[in-house]
């Protein structure tokens, strides 16, 4: 048996209301004001380094095999190899730019003599006075972050304290207005000195003189990396404690938004209007009696 007209109208109205109100677009953290998405990687493809980056190798300790991607993380390894050490460094010349905002979630290894570094280095290797760096070390109960910032005229250095051995969200913001570092949404450094050189971004782990008690091999792990390019408007305010949503890519421009919601509303309203009109016709038209009542 088919449902009655009022029942069909009720169901139609329920569908219309559900379409408009019960299925909103997924909420996403917006891009910071003054910045345009440039590069994103959540390290979900095992064995594949970001396309804009390379594993650095030299004739001393840095080796390509010490830079890997597995289990959704970038891993920079430090291990002993005979009487020497093998270490990892990832360089991203493909995201070189003048000014930039870099957000990443990372955990550094614990142990005396291990140094985990976040690098901003000039494309012109001779311009060493344009280099900036965040260096994280852990020793016993003492964690330190050393921030050096070069602007081409000199380099300033600041020491930060805190618990850096756990997972944290770091943001390095390099804009015409200044150089800033935040940890979990809290600003830890603000420096008005700014380099104007073209610089690349990267990560590295190195060994100074690890103590015999330092457990090796060790890893500097990065969970995701987001890079923004500066746009010529006011720089962003300090980021909130909540990091941007990670899904392996930035939201493409021109995606679903208020325009799509508006058309859904128009379609639902039209459906409701048609249902009400059908109800009026059903209630007002003459009804023929069933055959058993006809004479």
């Amino acid at each position: 048996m088919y449902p009655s007209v009022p029942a069909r109208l009720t169901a139609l109205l329920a569908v219309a209301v559900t379409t408009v109100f019960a299925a909103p677009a997924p909420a996403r953290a917006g891009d910071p004001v003054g910045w345009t998405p440039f590069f994103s990687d959540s390290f979900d493809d095992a064995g594949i380094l970001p396309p804009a980056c390379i594993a650095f190798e030299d004739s001393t300790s840095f080796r390509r095999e010490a830079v890997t991607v597995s289990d959704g993380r970038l891993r920079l390894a430090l291990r002993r190899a005979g009487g020497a050490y093998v270490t990892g460094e990832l360089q991203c010349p493909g995201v070189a730019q003048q000014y930039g905002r870099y957000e990443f979630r990372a955990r550094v290894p614990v142990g005396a003599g291990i140094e985990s570094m976040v690098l901003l280095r000039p494309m012109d290797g001779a311009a060493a006075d344009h280099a900036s760096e965040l260096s994280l070390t852990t020793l016993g109960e003492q964690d330190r972050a050393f921030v050096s910032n070069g602007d081409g005229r000199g380099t300033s250095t600041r020491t930060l304290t805190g618990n850096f051995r756990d997972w944290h969200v770091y943001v390095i913001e390099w804009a015409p207005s200044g150089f800033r570092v935040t940890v979990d949404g809290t600003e830890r450094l603000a420096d008005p000195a700014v380099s104007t050189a073209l610089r690349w971004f990267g990560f590295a782990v190195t060994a100074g003189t690890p103590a015999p008690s330092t457990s090796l091999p060790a890893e500097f792990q990065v969970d995701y990396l987001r890079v923004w390019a500066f746009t010529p408007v006011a720089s962003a305010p300090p980021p909130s404690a909540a990091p941007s949503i990670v899904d392996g890519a930035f939201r493409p421009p021109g995606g679903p938004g208020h325009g799509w919601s508006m058309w859904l509303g128009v379609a639902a309203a039209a459906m409701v209007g048609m249902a009400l009109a059908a109800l009026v016709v059903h209630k007002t038209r003459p009804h023929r009696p069933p055959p058993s009542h006809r004479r």
Side-chain angles (χ1 to χ4, degrees):
M1 176 183 292
Y2 290 104
S4 65
V5 172
R8 292 199 299 269
L9 293 175
T10 301
L12 185 59
L13 182 60
V15 170
V17 172
T18 301
T19 301
V20 178
F21 298 108
R28 300 184 55 116
D31 295 321
V33 176
W35 301 97
T36 300
F38 183 34
F39 172 81
S40 168
D41 203 311
S42 294
F43 308 112
D44 293 324
D45 297 326
I48 301 178
L49 297 181
C53 308
I54 60 171
F56 174 68
E57 182 167 304
D58 63 9
S59 58
T60 56
S61 62
F62 291 103
R63 294 289 182 270
R64 291 188 181 93
E65 65 267 22
V67 181
T68 59
V69 173
S70 64
D71 298 324
R73 295 173 185 172
L74 170 69
R75 301 172 185 272
L76 308 176
L78 169 61
R79 66 177 185 270
R80 291 187 178 93
Y85 295 96
V86 171
T87 61
E89 178 174 319
L90 184 79
Q91 299 182 357
C92 298
V95 295
Q97 56 184 335
Q98 183 187 56
Y99 311 127
R101 186 180 191 272
Y102 310 87
E103 177 187 315
F104 55 95
R105 183 173 180 263
R107 178 174 65 185
V108 303
V110 178
I114 302 177
E115 188 175 9
S116 303
M117 299 184 295
V118 184
L119 311 170
L120 266 175
R121 298 282 173 80
M123 292 295 287
D124 179 1
D129 52 358
H130 281 275
S132 296
E133 181 178 297
L134 170 63
S135 175
L136 302 162
T137 64
T138 57
L139 171 61
E141 298 300 320
Q142 299 178 356
D143 293 358
R144 296 285 186 273
F146 304 96
V147 183
S148 60
N149 180 38
D151 65 351
R153 298 169 297 176
T155 300
S156 63
T157 303
R158 183 83 58 85
T159 301
L160 310 177
T161 59
N163 174 17
F164 299 112
R165 67 188 64 197
D166 296 327
W167 285 103
H168 297 287
V169 174
Y170 299 86
V171 173
I172 296 176
E173 189 178 280
W174 162 41
S177 58
F179 183 86
R180 301 192 306 161
V181 175
T182 70
V183 181
D184 295 330
T186 300
E187 184 177 278
R188 299 299 308 274
L189 177 140
D191 186 350
V194 176
S195 171
T196 58
L198 191 70
R199 303 197 292 185
W200 55 265
F201 183 83
F203 300 102
V205 62
T206 65
T209 307
S213 60
T214 298
S215 178
L216 294 178
E219 286 184 337
F220 177 17
Q221 300 181 12
V222 182
D223 184 43
Y224 70 85
L225 170 64
R226 302 285 181 265
V227 181
W228 287 264
F230 179 74
T231 50
V233 296
S235 184
S240 64
S244 63
I245 292 175
V246 181
D247 63 0
F250 281 104
R251 178 179 59 232
H258 294 295
W260 179 244
S261 299
M262 180 189 71
W263 285 111
L264 282 177
V266 171
M271 291 170 63
V272 173
M274 290 167 48
L276 292 177
L279 178 61
V280 170
V281 170
H282 175 75
K283 292 295 186 181
T284 57
R285 71 180 180 181
H287 293 272
R288 299 179 62 187
S292 61
H293 292 175
R294 295 177 192 164
R295 289 184 173 84

